[in-house]
Amino acid sequence: MSTKQMTGAEMVVQAMIDQGVDTLFGYPGGAVLPIYDAIFQQEQLRHILVRHEQAAVHAAEGYARSTGKVGCVLVTSGPGATNAVTGLTDALMDSIPLVCITGQVPTHLIGSDAFQEADTIGITRHCTKHNYLVKRIEDLPRILHEAFLIAASGRPGPVLIDIPKDVQFKVGEYFKPTDNIHKTYRPRLEGDQDKIKAAVALIAGAKKPVFYTGGGVVNAGPRATALLREFAKLTGYPVTSTLMGLGAFPAADPQWLGMLGMHGTYEANLAMHDCDVLINIGARFDDRITGRIDAFSPHSRKIHVDIDPSSINKNVKVDIGIVGDSAHVLEQMLAAWREAKPEIDKAALKSWWDEIAGWRARKSLAYRASDETIKPQYAIERLYQLTKDRDVYVTTEVGQHQMWAAQHFHFQDPNRWMTSGGLGTMGYGFPAAIGVQLAHPDALVIDIAGEASIQMMLQEMSTAVQYRLPVKIFILNNEYMGMVRQWQELLHGGRYSESYSAALPDFVKLAEAYGAVGIRCSKPGDLDAAIKEMIDTPHPVIFDCHVDKSENCFPMIPSGKAHNEMILGDAAVDIGSVIDAKGKQLV
C-alpha cells in the first residue's frame, strides 16, 4: 500500500478519483474552499455547480440511480449542510448510495456557535446510513474510502463526512486501501440455504401465488432483474411491483399485473389480498402498499427476501424471512428449484389466472377521454407512445402527476424510472433529471412534473442551461396541488384549503428568461405535435401542458382502509354481475 503526502482537501479529491467518481455535485462556501481549490487544480473530477444544496443531493441521486454508481455531493458548513438534509433523508428512505462531504468550522471552534456552524453530525444522524466527523488528518483516507464501501454495500444509502476546515489544510499520508473491507460491517449476500429450500417448497405448492417485487431488485443490479424474469417465466406466476420497483419486470409482459398500492391497479391489489403465497423480493411492506396492516393479504403465507435484516418482520409478520441480496437469493432459489424439479398445480394456476382476468376486466386505469380538454392520463400515454422507441429516462416530482406517470408510462427495463418514493419529496424530479442527463448525455431525459412541485427546485434551470443539458420538464398543469385537492375533495368535504396554485408564473416566459425553450399546449389535437417539438429541441425545455383541473387519480386506497378497499374511477368497467368459478361475486 503506497502512501503520498497530501493536504486533507487533496485527499478528498484523490479518494473520489480512486473510487472511480467522475462527477461531483456541489455548492461552494467558506468551510469547503480548500477542497474547491484542490478541484480547480485537477482535470479528472468534473464538478457541477447547482443553485441549491438540496438540488445537489437530488442530482446525485438521479446520477446514482441511473448508473448504479455512488453519487457524490460537496457542500459547505451550517446552512449548506442543513439544506442538504431533505435530499439525504430522501436517499435514505429510497436506499440510494451517496457520499456527501460537508465542511465544518475549524476543530477548535466546534461548539462555540461560530459563524456558519451547525451540529451536522447530530442533525444528520437519523437521515444517513452512517456519518463521520473527522478531527484527525490521519483518519481521513480510511474514512473516505470506508464511506464508499458503506454507501454501496448492503442496503445502499447516504453516508456523510463532516470535515473541519483546519483538517482540510493539514498535511498527512494519503493511501488507498488494497482491500477495502470494514471490520464490523459485513452485509449478508447469500440467503440461508435451509430457508431457501423451504421457500421453494412453499412457492411450488402455491395455488394462488404472486411475486411482490420492490426497489431492492433494481438496486441489486441487472443480474437480479434478469433472474426475477427467469423465475417468473419458469413458474408462470403473476408479478406486481412497488412504485420503486417499476421496470424490474417488463410492463409489456402478460404476467405483469401493474403497480400495486395506494394508486395501484385493481388486479394487483386484489391478487395480493387473495393470494395464498406471497413472495416478497426486495420490498419493505410500507404503508402505501399494505393499507391497514391487520387486513393485509390475510390468507397468504409470506416469504420476504431483503438485504436489510431490520426489514424482516418490521411491518408485516412473515412465515419465511430470508436475509440476503436479491440477486444472490434469486440465484439460489432458481438452483434449488431446478434441483427439486417440483410439479406446479397447473389447474389451480389456471383458475388463479382466470380470477385475475376478471379483475383485469374492470380496466381500473380507464378514464373518460375528451376532445376539448387534455386529460392528464392521455398526456402521459401520448408521451409514452412518442418516446418508447428512444433511449429515455423518466424522473418525476411528487403528486398526482407522479402516480399517473407510474400508471401510464410503461417501463420495460430497470433504472429508467427515478422518483421519490419513501419521503415523497416535491422538487426531487428536476435536479434528479439533471443528474441523469449528465450520466447519459445522449439520452432523452424527462421530468414529469406538476406546476406546484416544479417550483420547489426550478432555479436549477440555470444549472441545466449552464451545462447545456437538454432536460425536458413536462408539466401537467391543473392549477392545483392536485393530490392535496383530491384528498380534500374525497375526504374533507370539498374544502380546498390552500390547495389552489395561485399566482402561477408564465412557464414559457420563465423558460425563456433562463435561456431555455418554453412550449405550451392546451388542446388534445395539438398534443402530439407539441411533444415531438419538445423531443426534437436540443435545449432544456419547459412544456406547460394544461390539463383537466378536476381529474382525480384512481384507483385509490383511502387512508386507513385495507388494500382491497379501493375507490375506482367512474370510467372503470362495471362487472358486478360477473361471478367467478367458485360462485363468488368479484365486485
Side-chain angles (χ1 to χ4, degrees):
M1 180 171 60
S2 60
T3 62
K4 184 178 180 181
Q5 292 290 310
M6 292 185 184
T7 66
E10 291 169 337
M11 290 180 184
V12 171
V13 174
Q14 189 59 50
M16 288 187 182
I17 293 170
D18 287 344
Q19 287 289 336
V21 177
D22 54 21
T23 305
L24 170 66
F25 302 90
Y27 200 94
V32 286
L33 287 185
I35 299 174
Y36 273 91
D37 192 48
I39 290 171
F40 186 84
Q41 298 181 61
Q42 57 81 51
E43 295 181 350
Q44 292 175 266
L45 182 65
R46 172 178 58 171
H47 179 273
I48 302 299
L49 176 65
V50 297
R51 272 49 177 180
H52 192 285
E53 290 88 354
Q54 180 181 335
V57 185
H58 292 327
E61 286 186 275
Y63 187 93
R65 291 174 73 169
S66 66
T67 63
K69 299 178 181 179
V70 176
C72 290
V73 179
L74 174 61
V75 298
T76 194
S77 64
T82 58
N83 278 347
V85 164
T86 298
L88 292 170
T89 309
D90 188 272
L92 182 69
M93 293 284 279
D94 287 347
S95 305
I96 312 303
L98 302 179
V99 170
C100 179
I101 307 293
T102 56
Q104 184 55 273
V105 300
T107 51
H108 68 279
L109 290 179
I110 292 175
S112 69
D113 293 331
F115 177 67
Q116 290 195 332
E117 181 189 2
D119 178 13
T120 300
I121 293 300
I123 290 168
T124 63
R125 183 166 286 120
H126 299 292
C127 66
T128 55
K129 186 177 177 182
H130 193 59
N131 63 13
Y132 302 86
L133 172 60
V134 185
K135 292 186 175 181
R136 298 181 345 120
I137 188 68
E138 293 83 2
D139 297 329
L140 185 56
R142 171 187 59 82
I143 287 172
L144 287 165
H145 291 289
E146 193 172 274
F148 280 88
L149 173 70
I150 293 172
S153 56
R155 179 181 176 180
V159 177
L160 182 139
I161 308 173
D162 199 32
I163 310 177
K165 192 169 183 178
D166 58 320
V167 175
Q168 297 172 39
F169 278 120
K170 286 181 180 177
V171 176
E173 289 189 347
Y174 171 79
F175 59 89
K176 178 186 177 183
T178 54
D179 191 6
N180 193 19
I181 298 175
H182 197 276
K183 291 181 180 179
T184 58
Y185 180 60
R186 303 284 180 86
R188 182 168 185 168
L189 299 179
E190 293 191 352
D192 179 273
Q193 196 60 44
D194 289 339
K195 290 184 177 181
I196 294 287
K197 290 180 180 179
V200 165
L202 188 58
I203 294 167
K207 310 296 183 184
K208 301 166 73 173
V210 64
F211 282 103
Y212 156 36
T213 62
V217 179
V218 177
N219 286 344
R223 183 160 148 263
T225 56
L227 290 167
L228 170 66
R229 296 172 187 209
E230 185 180 349
F231 202 8
K233 287 300 170 190
L234 196 62
T235 59
Y237 292 173
V239 182
T240 182
S241 171
T242 66
L243 179 73
M244 301 304 294
L246 294 178
F249 195 79
D253 195 290
Q255 287 177 240
W256 171 243
L257 303 184
M259 181 179 74
L260 80 161
M262 180 170 281
H263 293 285
T265 65
Y266 190 68
E267 56 267 31
N269 282 321
L270 268 290
M272 286 282 282
H273 185 266
D274 280 10
C275 69
D276 69 340
V277 174
L278 187 160
I279 310 140
N280 178 337
I281 311 289
R284 57 188 178 87
F285 289 112
D286 74 281
D287 61 292
R288 289 293 170 112
I289 298 300
T290 62
R292 203 175 74 243
I293 289 287
D294 62 2
F296 174 71
S297 195
H299 314 298
S300 69
R301 297 188 68 186
K302 299 172 181 67
I303 299 164
H304 188 187
V305 176
D306 204 296
I307 199 164
D308 182 0
S310 71
S311 289
I312 306 291
N313 293 318
K314 181 179 182 179
N315 297 324
V316 170
K317 299 299 180 185
V318 299
D319 298 277
I320 302 175
I322 301 173
V323 177
D325 174 79
S326 293
H328 285 78
V329 173
L330 281 167
E331 189 169 53
Q332 289 176 279
M333 283 184 169
L334 277 164
W337 185 280
R338 291 192 171 101
E339 182 180 353
K341 298 178 181 177
E343 289 290 332
I344 292 172
D345 188 335
K346 293 182 179 178
L349 184 59
K350 182 182 182 303
S351 177
W352 178 227
W353 274 113
D354 288 343
E355 194 170 355
I356 290 170
W359 297 325
R360 272 180 169 164
R362 292 221 64 175
K363 298 187 182 300
S364 61
L365 299 183
Y367 60 94
R368 300 197 183 281
S370 170
D371 293 330
E372 300 298 323
T373 306
I374 298 174
K375 294 288 186 173
Q377 303 95 322
Y378 178 73
I380 300 297
E381 285 179 353
R382 295 315 304 155
L383 183 66
Y384 169 69
Q385 290 297 331
L386 294 169
T387 60
K388 66 180 182 178
D389 296 326
R390 300 179 64 102
D391 184 20
V392 62
Y393 293 80
V394 173
T395 69
T396 78
E397 307 298 333
V398 169
Q400 284 178 319
H401 61 273
Q402 176 190 30
M403 295 298 108
W404 281 318
Q407 292 172 341
H408 297 281
F409 203 104
H410 308 295
F411 296 93
Q412 312 304 329
D413 298 299
N415 303 109
R416 299 302 180 116
W417 163 253
M418 275 66 64
T419 194
S420 175
L423 193 61
T425 307
M426 294 174 71
Y428 166 88
F430 185 29
I434 287 173
V436 174
Q437 190 76 79
L438 282 158
H440 307 277
D442 297 324
L444 174 63
V445 181
I446 304 169
D447 171 31
I448 298 175
E451 82 291 333
S453 273
I454 193 59
Q455 294 188 81
M456 291 280 187
M457 287 278 123
L458 191 50
Q459 77 282 339
E460 296 309 312
M461 182 56 77
S462 183
T463 305
V465 170
Q466 177 183 345
Y467 295 100
R468 299 179 180 179
L469 304 172
V471 174
K472 318 303 182 190
I473 302 173
F474 191 77
I475 300 174
L476 299 183
N477 187 345
N478 59 10
E479 298 183 7
Y480 277 102
M481 288 177 253
M483 195 61 82
V484 174
R485 181 202 58 74
Q486 177 170 333
W487 281 50
Q488 288 173 336
E489 176 184 320
L490 299 176
L491 305 176
H492 297 278
R495 293 179 292 277
Y496 301 129
S497 177
E498 301 299 327
S499 56
Y500 182 69
S501 296
L504 287 172
D506 182 324
F507 286 108
V508 171
K509 289 183 178 178
L510 192 56
E512 293 168 351
Y514 275 108
V517 174
I519 300 172
R520 181 178 292 113
C521 186
S522 58
K523 296 293 183 184
D526 299 333
L527 186 57
D528 278 20
I531 290 174
K532 289 175 183 176
E533 181 186 353
M534 177 190 76
I535 294 169
D536 294 337
T537 300
H539 305 289
V541 174
I542 298 179
F543 189 114
D544 187 14
C545 186
H546 286 241
V547 300
D548 190 325
K549 298 178 184 180
S550 62
E551 193 75 7
N552 285 330
C553 184
F554 292 118
M556 175 184 174
I557 302 172
S559 179
K561 297 293 184 180
H563 67 146
N564 65 322
E565 298 177 295
M566 305 181 70
I567 300 174
L568 300 186
D570 61 5
V573 177
D574 182 6
I575 56 168
S577 61
V578 175
I579 305 296
D580 72 3
K582 297 179 181 178
K584 174 184 172 185
Q585 190 163 320
L586 294 178
V587 184

